Amino acid sequence: MKVLISGGGPAGATAAYWLASQGIAVTVLEKSGYPREKVCGDGLTPRAVRQMQLMGLPHGAAEGYKANKGLRLVASGRTVEVPWPELTDFPSYGLVRTRAGFDEDLVRHARRAGAHVIEHRTVRDVLRDDTGRIVGVQAAVMDPATGRRTSETEEHRADLVLAADGNSTRTAVAAGLHRRTDRPLGVAVRTYYRSPRSELDWMEGWLELADGTDPERSLLPGYGWVFGVGDGTANVGLGILDTSPAFGKLDYRAVLRDWAASMPAEWTFDPEHQVGRVGSAALPMAGNRTPHYVPGLMLLGDSAGLVSPFNGEGISNAMESALFAASCIVDAAEANGPQQRENALARYPQLVRAEWGAHFTQGRALAELIGHPAILTAGLRAGMSVPAMMRFAVRVMTELSDRPARTVTDRAIAVLDALTPAS
């Protein structure tokens, strides 16, 4: 079996590693060249770290990774620290690594396993056979100097195509799979500052973002973050959901600028210490592009809308979806006959729904609630005054519990998931 992957980020590179390590012929088409910048908070939760461990990907300080011990939440004049829990299934630490470095680490790891990676290629269309099955892509060759398409195109054929091209979703759109408007969407804006906050041991979340265009300065559904990168800089950004009436009307860069300017002067979140540009990106959430499998094509990571509506985290879900996809593909390669092969591939969306269906339903409900500033304000006041409540909420939002359940918290999360219909 030959597999073609569109996109070499966390989903695409992880899938390429697992497939190549199992002897599957795999080619990755990446629009840019490595290293390349991606708009992201650069935070790796214990779920993402677990995927790195499974892959055998080195992730120590020598490789440029900054370890952290949990989340520090700030709101309503209070601070609540939530250490990463001690679990059997996941490590008790998180990491921060720039996406430029992390994605390059992943793709280098995939190459060592035997994956073929072609840089500066972007999908223009999908190729189909007489039955309508997707059998490859037409790709444009990009100019490395300008980052723009050239007039040169190539055809790449395969038994299966994996769409892992992030929030651009070029491959899925070419296949006629469009965004579901009944699912939430977010936007992330971030930059870097040279700052003493580079050495933070916590991933900080500031839960009160004010709408500067509103005289009452009502709260926006989202949060600001400060993640220490460990290289002398801090990743400072914000994420906002589309459930606010202000969504689409705000200057998000101005919101970030004003919020950063409100921080203590000694943190140096100012233009003089800014490193690089202010970048922004859409966050496709809660499975907002379906179906996740059509004959010849699987959707992974952000292309499938697998970003969590709870916290905007997408890296761990992207890597886990890649592992799910790879397991189905390996089964298909070993199947006896076309129908058995197709049955194995069609199992992929079932795995995705079983893993995230309830979580996404819960996240969608929360996104709608906090879109109302009064509810958000009241919820923060109540939650921050009861640290145990916030710690439980973090466990739910970050999907950190053991299966089968070992503790009371694990059991409570399992019951909550069991009672929630999968979206």
Side-chain angles (χ1 to χ4, degrees):
M1 176 176 283
K2 181 178 180 181
V3 178
L4 180 68
I5 302 176
S6 171
T14 300
Y17 166 80
W18 285 117
L19 292 170
S21 66
Q22 293 298 310
I24 304 291
V26 56
T27 296
V28 179
L29 304 181
E30 165 56 36
K31 180 180 179 181
S32 304
Y34 297 96
R36 80 283 195 275
E37 184 183 21
K38 289 289 181 179
V39 175
C40 184
D42 300 337
L44 300 164
T45 66
R47 289 191 72 105
V49 177
R50 176 57 177 160
Q51 292 302 307
M52 298 167 68
Q53 291 175 333
L54 292 174
M55 296 170 65
L57 182 68
H59 54 273
E63 288 78 32
Y65 290 84
K66 175 73 171 69
N68 58 72
K69 53 191 177 184
L71 299 179
R72 178 185 285 153
L73 307 178
V74 184
S76 300
R78 294 183 172 90
T79 298
V80 175
E81 292 182 344
V82 186
W84 298 122
E86 297 284 345
L87 299 170
T88 301
D89 294 345
F90 303 102
S92 58
Y93 61 94
L95 299 169
V96 175
R97 170 82 158 136
T98 65
R99 282 290 302 276
F102 179 60
D103 288 13
E104 187 174 24
D105 291 344
L106 281 173
V107 83
R108 187 183 298 117
H109 200 57
R111 278 174 161 149
R112 283 196 292 260
H116 180 45
V117 181
I118 307 176
E119 300 175 27
H120 306 295
R121 301 293 188 275
T122 185
V123 170
R124 294 188 59 179
D125 203 355
V126 296
L127 305 175
R128 299 179 186 270
D129 65 14
D130 293 340
T131 69
R133 183 183 184 86
I134 293 172
V135 293
V137 303
Q138 181 190 70
V141 178
M142 307 295 290
D143 184 337
T146 65
R148 297 178 180 175
R149 291 180 180 179
T150 69
S151 59
E152 184 181 354
T153 61
E154 302 170 343
E155 286 192 356
H156 296 266
R157 295 183 175 268
D159 299 298
L160 183 69
V161 176
L162 306 186
D165 39 15
N167 59 28
S168 70
T169 63
R170 295 178 300 273
T171 308
V173 170
L177 304 178
H178 299 289
R179 184 174 78 87
R180 294 180 55 166
T181 57
D182 63 337
R183 303 295 167 92
L185 182 72
V187 64
V189 184
R190 72 95 181 95
T191 191
Y192 296 91
Y193 294 100
R194 296 188 302 277
S195 169
R197 305 292 277 173
S198 180
E199 297 303 321
L200 267 178
D201 289 330
W202 300 86
M203 295 169 66
E204 283 191 348
W206 295 66
L207 307 183
E208 293 174 309
L209 289 178
D211 180 355
T213 66
D214 181 357
E216 298 182 2
R217 295 190 63 79
S218 53
L219 296 184
L220 297 166
Y223 66 96
W225 68 72
V226 180
F227 296 167
V229 183
D231 62 355
T233 68
N235 181 315
V236 180
L238 57 85
I240 298 176
L241 292 163
D242 68 351
T243 52
S244 166
F247 190 84
K249 304 173 185 176
L250 289 171
D251 181 343
Y252 301 110
R253 287 174 169 79
V255 176
L256 175 60
R257 182 184 63 245
D258 293 346
W259 177 71
S262 73
M263 297 292 105
E266 61 267 25
W267 293 2
T268 63
F269 296 168
D270 53 52
E272 180 183 351
H273 293 86
Q274 183 176 328
V275 179
R277 65 188 180 96
V278 176
S280 62
L283 300 174
M285 297 175 165
N288 74 345
R289 197 173 301 271
T290 55
H292 291 142
Y293 175 72
V294 295
L297 177 68
M298 286 181 180
L299 309 187
L300 277 59
D302 287 11
S303 292
L306 298 186
V307 175
S308 170
F310 276 115
N311 55 13
E313 205 278 331
I315 292 176
S316 65
N317 292 0
M319 297 176 76
E320 290 178 48
S321 72
L323 181 55
F324 290 154
S327 69
C328 294
I329 294 166
V330 170
D331 288 346
E334 297 172 351
N336 184 21
Q339 188 57 56
Q340 288 81 359
R341 185 179 305 118
E342 193 63 20
N343 291 344
L345 298 175
R347 190 167 57 90
Y348 170 70
Q350 300 170 21
L351 296 176
V352 169
R353 190 168 188 266
E355 182 63 41
W356 293 297
H359 181 76
F360 286 165
T361 298
Q362 296 160 8
R364 288 166 56 198
L366 179 67
E368 289 297 329
L369 282 175
I370 66 174
H372 302 279
I375 294 177
L376 175 56
T377 300
L380 286 176
R381 287 174 180 169
M384 293 299 290
S385 64
V386 185
M389 182 188 301
M390 293 303 293
R391 293 188 181 101
F392 178 76
V394 167
R395 292 281 295 274
V396 173
M397 292 178 179
T398 55
E399 298 181 276
L400 288 174
S401 62
D402 278 327
R403 302 177 189 171
R406 295 191 306 115
T407 66
V408 172
T409 300
D410 294 339
R411 287 192 287 273
I413 293 173
V415 169
L416 178 62
D417 287 346
L419 294 175
T420 303
S423 60

